[in-house]
Amino acid sequence: MATHKILTVTLEFEMGDKRIHAPRIKAAYEAAVNAAMEAAKGELLDGSVSAVRSRMTWDYRWAETSAQYADVDVEWEEESQVGQPVQ
């Protein structure tokens, strides 16, 4: 039996000092989710995604305390090579 894989994409939008009302926030969230799904469909094989779940959270924290990550080049294995012994 194949193990299901989960791809998680996290987006954070740092907001300014302006007051933003709930309908605009919901619309921005839905636009981001829809754009992510369309982009993924363009990259993944047909039928490879069985479900998409999304959630929106709202929190207040100092933006300066968020971790900054450097871009790292990653070498991905082709699907045909996954699970095969390295020669």
Side-chain angles (χ1 to χ4, degrees):
M1 183 172 162
T3 302
H4 289 265
K5 298 163 207 72
I6 303 292
L7 168 64
T8 301
V9 177
T10 303
L11 297 173
E12 287 190 355
F13 295 91
E14 185 176 323
M15 312 302 277
D17 291 339
K18 289 187 175 191
R19 187 170 184 90
I20 302 171
H21 297 283
R24 287 184 185 266
I25 295 210
K26 185 176 183 215
Y29 163 73
E30 289 173 355
V33 170
N34 289 331
M37 288 191 307
E38 287 302 313
K41 284 180 192 176
E43 298 297 330
L44 299 171
L45 298 174
D46 287 341
S48 63
V49 176
S50 59
V52 175
R53 291 177 290 278
S54 65
R55 69 178 182 184
M56 179 175 64
T57 60
W58 186 261
D59 67 89
Y60 293 91
R61 68 178 192 273
W62 296 108
E64 295 81 22
T65 63
S66 296
Q68 297 293 324
Y69 298 97
D71 289 336
V72 178
D73 289 332
V74 177
E75 291 186 26
W76 297 93
E77 294 180 357
E78 292 297 323
E79 267 189 65
S80 61
Q81 297 174 348
V82 174
Q84 296 180 1
V86 177
Q87 298 180 12

